[in-house]
Amino acid sequence: MGTANPQLVFVHGIGGLRNAEAERQQWLRALATGVRAAGRAELVSALTQGWLANVRFADYSDLFNPRGAQGGSLGDELNPSDEQVLSGLLEAMVDELAEQYPPDTGTRDARVIEQARHHVDALSSGSRAQGAGEFARRLVWVTTTLLQLPGLRQGAQWVNGQAFALYLSQVARYLNRNGEKASLGSAIRSRVLEGLDPARPLVVVSHSLGTVVAYEVLHEYEGPVALWVTLGSPLALGGVVLQRLVPRPPSCPEEVGAWHNFWDRNDVVVGRPRLADWIAPSSRGVKAETAPVKSDGVWTHTATKYLEHAEVAGPIVKALLP
């Protein structure tokens, strides 16, 4: 393995503390499954053993969840700017769910979604005037209601509404550009950029909030990016995320040679096909090529679910070849 090997970087999304090496192996195993499905089984060993590329899992989870910290309540973490982002994010998620389960169908899922919408409306009704913790309590009402949906409730990723709300709040905390709050986003981007060599080709695979982080990182990065893959991305969630990206107006990073965006219709955190229409191409004409995938199982918003698809893994391994 020489120094000329391309770089493959995984950028994770929301969640708790992570074990970078364990996660790197999990993502690699899922990618290997997708590579086999794409008919390139002969490349699996080269990928998983590090002969094909130097693979790094860019772990910034400790910046959201400091090890050993006692931590305060969710309400202590949020300010009015954060609350605005979270209200908009949950409203967009409920709108996506309502497209799948329209109110006029009368199904149980449709009723749950309408109940969640009622709680979302209450989030923006001046709850802070009733006390600093009121928004957090109402936020947990929304997430607890959404967990009544089978696709979320049966996913082991969320233990309860409190955990779901806490992890969703990371999106708002990252996007907060006000005062000292802005330092968190800067620290996260520095963590992803750490150790990257602009003299070597780079492939970036980003998921969930990690696609937002990667968007801003790649606008700062000065080396060639052979391929950028976005999985389960909230980048196109209108005013919630899109209008808070830096730089603006949003466009494909200049050094990106190709951008593939994948979404699953059952992934409620995704802005779906709109991303390709709402983010302008780079000056070289590169823009997101968006494609749907269909995952088995009840919870699709995990990076490994996406990476197991041939249509996702195929372009990644191709971009790593000499």
Side-chain angles (χ1 to χ4, degrees):
M1 182 173 61
T3 56
N5 268 13
Q7 306 162 101
L8 172 60
V9 175
F10 297 137
V11 187
H12 67 80
I14 60 176
L17 279 171
R18 296 170 183 263
N19 179 318
E21 179 56 24
E23 295 258 358
R24 188 181 79 92
Q25 292 295 335
Q26 289 172 10
W27 287 43
L28 269 175
R29 284 195 295 271
L31 180 58
T33 297
V35 168
R36 289 189 189 93
R40 301 304 304 267
E42 76 279 5
L43 297 175
V44 167
S45 291
L47 176 67
T48 57
Q49 298 299 318
W51 306 327
L52 188 61
N54 297 127
V55 184
R56 174 172 159 255
F57 186 86
D59 180 16
Y60 56 82
S61 62
D62 61 300
L63 299 176
F64 281 125
N65 310 275
R67 286 177 171 82
Q70 296 299 313
S73 69
L74 178 59
D76 295 335
E77 295 283 353
L78 305 176
N79 65 19
S81 176
D82 298 328
E83 293 178 359
Q84 184 181 17
V85 174
L86 274 169
S87 295
L89 179 63
L90 285 163
E91 183 177 359
M93 289 171 63
V94 169
D95 286 344
E96 293 284 347
L97 286 164
E99 288 186 18
Q100 298 179 47
Y101 307 100
D104 57 10
T105 61
T107 65
R108 180 185 179 278
D109 287 344
R111 292 193 297 271
V112 168
I113 292 163
E114 285 306 294
Q115 183 182 5
R117 189 184 299 281
H118 172 75
H119 290 317
V120 169
D121 291 342
L123 282 175
S124 55
S125 64
S127 59
R128 180 161 282 272
Q130 302 174 38
E134 183 62 20
F135 180 90
R137 285 190 288 273
R138 294 188 180 192
L139 174 61
V140 174
W141 292 348
V142 180
T143 53
T144 300
T145 300
L146 288 174
L147 287 178
Q148 296 179 47
L149 297 170
L152 294 176
R153 183 182 67 246
Q154 297 174 26
Q157 192 167 10
W158 314 121
V159 177
N160 52 44
Q162 176 76 22
F164 194 7
L166 183 63
Y167 294 150
L168 280 178
S169 75
Q170 293 175 358
V171 178
R173 291 166 62 195
Y174 175 79
L175 290 170
N176 195 324
R177 317 293 186 178
N178 299 320
E180 293 183 0
K181 290 271 188 173
S183 63
L184 174 63
S186 178
I188 288 171
R189 291 189 295 277
S190 294
R191 184 70 60 82
V192 175
L193 284 165
E194 193 174 274
L196 293 182
D197 182 358
R200 295 160 55 198
L202 173 65
V203 173
V204 176
V205 178
S206 54
H207 173 245
S208 183
L209 172 60
T211 68
V212 180
V213 174
Y215 169 87
E216 298 187 341
V217 163
L218 293 178
H219 272 285
E220 299 177 17
Y221 189 64
E222 297 181 352
V225 182
L227 175 65
W228 177 27
V229 175
T230 48
L231 311 171
S233 176
L235 275 167
L237 287 177
V240 187
V241 174
L242 194 69
Q243 294 178 19
R244 290 176 168 82
L245 295 175
V246 176
R248 289 189 295 265
S251 63
C252 177
E254 284 298 318
E255 298 301 323
V256 170
W259 177 6
H260 292 184
N261 177 63
F262 297 95
W263 60 277
D264 191 298
R265 70 175 301 274
N266 294 317
D267 188 342
V268 299
V269 186
V270 176
R272 300 211 262 186
R274 293 186 288 268
L275 185 151
D277 300 324
W278 291 2
I279 297 183
S282 67
S283 64
R284 296 191 292 165
V286 177
K287 65 179 296 185
E289 297 179 16
T290 292
V293 297
K294 182 171 177 55
S295 299
D296 296 326
V298 294
W299 176 247
T300 62
H301 190 67
T302 59
T304 50
K305 282 279 190 182
Y306 281 98
L307 288 170
E308 290 171 353
H309 287 276
E311 55 265 51
V312 175
I316 295 172
V317 75
K318 182 178 179 181
L320 295 173
L321 293 172

